[in-house]
Amino acid sequence: MEQGEWEEEKSRAPAVLAVLGLVVAVVVGLGAVWSYLGVTNSLSATQLKLQQSNIRSDQLEKEMATLAQQVQTSQAKLSTEALAAAQAFVNDARGSMAKTVGGGTVPGRTATSIVCARNAADTSHCDYIANGENDQTEINLALDSLPPGGGEVHLTEGDFSINGVDGTFGGILIQTSNVVLSGSGMGTKLTLTDGNTDKNVIRIIGNNLENITVRDMQINANRAKQAQTEVNRFETTGIRASSAITLQPVRNIVVENTRIENCRTLCIFLRGKGVFIRNNWIGNANSDTVELLEGPGEIANNHFEITGPAGVVISVDAGNDINLTNNTINVMPGGAVGSAIRTWPGFSGINIQNNVIIAAGPIENVILSASTESLISGNIIRPWTGGAERPKLLITAGRTTLSDNYIAHADVVLNDAEGIGKVVIRDNMFDGVTITNRSGNLLVSRNTGYTTENSGTAMVAGGTTAIQVNHGLVAAPTRVQLTPSNNPTNAIGWYWVSSLTATQFTINLNADPGASGVTFYWRATVGEG
């Protein structure tokens, strides 16, 4: 092999050369031992294979195992000292093949490839080294090299430049099951290059794919420098997963511990069964920041930071049985949002729990809940108050419960035209909140800061037949109950309530109660509370 060819081989296969060095050391240090055993030819064959660029570590393991067996079967012909030395060299060669990936050691690395960025600190252990241009090529080669059972492709720290692959909707393409694409934390940075049309940074595509995880990296979708066509407007995302045939959905897809921002249409768009978006930092997108379809699934423990215009932050469109929990949505100054959280009509089982929505910019709907059988509970909602219109929490479907939330300066609106099942608003803490029932069956009760039930006593004095009572409710009572507490001097006959206003009602008697007067216990409610 010429010197130039050797240098080229060295740059392409540094990991193989490292192991080759160990084998050469075996040849030099134990040449006599190998000659006596008659295995020099086997070692020479191994050395020749190591010089070929496509050798795999599992092949080298087999070679080392063969040599070890030959050593062990020749114990009677070797001194104990020589045998120990030979075995030690074989074990060292085996040990060099175990490489660390994502903090764990994978002996033999039979199901894992490592792709190094051009500016990675150490490239000696890499299967592929990106050059800073079209780095999706090396990453896709690594994904394609995984065995049929799947495995992990690990990206080192450093910068990866991702371009679209012609004839596809992606740059990085995951098209098989049982795959993990992992980075080295926030030090792994993927950026979509300028000038792509209808390209996702990472596209998971295939029928019946399952068990795919993307984690531990940064993705910049570079939205200002991308283009999209109307027909493929949802193919310009940070990460998208779906099947080609709706009846053969992807399953168990996870995006976690990743920072994704600057997205043309959406940052994460997953359609399938068992889809999970969790523990991510997610920034601006022109349409929905994240979206799940089908379900069941979960969007949990994510932080959203919106600094510009956005349609919807968390969206569940055409999905059932999905949990939206423990997320923080922070609309920064300069940000503006149509809906912080939105669900679609015709679907059910969406739980919106323990989220925080804080805004220093306008939000039209803090929550738009259009799915039935939904629970909105334990959320903290503090929207911006500087806009011309107050933000709304809009409920448009029945069989929904709004409970145990803290909500400030928003209008809760029920607009359920179908009126199927009740909407219950109970046990919340409200600060400057109004409730309006445009259409639907509404039950409101026991909310702090929004008094819909009150009670007290009132006395109609002798010589009179009526008294006005201040009820302290948020609106005119729909029902007042009266119970006399004493036997008046004179029979009073009938008694009733009239003139129910936003602040008062009147207790009326048919006759003067006499000197004792008559005292009533009263309880007033708004709605069905």
Side-chain angles (χ1 to χ4, degrees), residues 285-290 310-316 337-342:
N286 289 343
S287 182
D288 304 351
T289 306
V290 299
V312 180
V313 180
I314 297 177
S315 179
V316 176
V337 170
S339 294
I341 297 176
R342 180 186 69 187

Side-chain angles (χ1 to χ4, degrees), residues 124-328:
S124 63
H125 60 293
C126 305
D127 296 291
Y128 302 89
I129 301 177
N131 63 8
E133 296 181 1
N134 294 311
D135 294 337
Q136 77 285 344
T137 301
E138 287 80 11
I139 298 171
N140 287 333
L141 284 172
L143 289 165
D144 292 341
S145 76
L146 293 175
E152 179 175 354
V153 171
H154 181 72
L155 309 182
T156 67
E157 84 290 342
D159 300 310
F160 292 87
S161 179
I162 307 301
N163 206 354
V165 177
D166 290 343
T168 76
F169 290 119
I172 298 172
L173 300 170
I174 301 177
Q175 303 176 89
T176 57
S177 296
N178 307 318
V179 171
V180 174
L181 178 63
S182 66
S184 300
M186 296 303 99
T188 301
K189 301 176 182 178
L190 279 60
T191 301
L192 190 62
T193 58
D194 295 356
N196 282 283
T197 300
D198 298 340
K199 301 298 181 187
N200 308 278
V201 182
I202 298 174
R203 184 64 162 98
I204 301 167
I205 180 68
N207 298 324
N208 294 319
L209 293 187
E210 60 183 359
N211 306 325
I212 296 171
T213 297
V214 178
R215 59 177 172 84
D216 301 320
M217 63 186 69
Q218 287 195 54
I219 297 174
N220 181 353
N222 190 20
R223 64 177 175 177
K225 301 298 179 66
Q226 311 304 318
Q228 67 184 51
T229 60
E230 179 61 23
V231 68
N232 295 316
R233 64 187 183 277
F234 296 116
E235 295 287 359
T236 51
T237 72
I239 300 173
R240 179 172 181 182
S242 65
S243 60
I245 300 175
T246 303
L247 295 179
Q248 299 179 29
V250 299
R251 299 174 184 269
N252 193 24
I253 309 300
V254 179
V255 178
E256 62 184 0
N257 302 326
T258 292
R259 179 181 178 121
I260 308 177
E261 59 188 323
N262 203 14
C263 307
R264 173 88 183 181
T265 305
L266 304 99
C267 283
I268 305 175
F269 183 14
L270 307 183
R271 178 171 189 166
K273 297 186 178 299
V275 284
F276 304 91
I277 301 171
R278 57 196 184 200
N279 302 316
N280 302 287
W281 189 104
I282 304 169
N284 293 331
N286 289 343
S287 182
D288 304 351
T289 306
V290 299
E291 182 174 339
L292 292 189
L293 275 72
E294 289 197 40
E298 181 179 67
I299 301 175
N301 301 304
N302 301 286
H303 177 83
F304 297 86
E305 192 162 296
I306 308 301
T307 61
V312 180
V313 180
I314 297 177
S315 179
V316 176
D317 296 356
N320 298 306
D321 304 318
I322 294 174
N323 293 325
L324 312 178
T325 61
N326 297 304
N327 300 286
T328 299

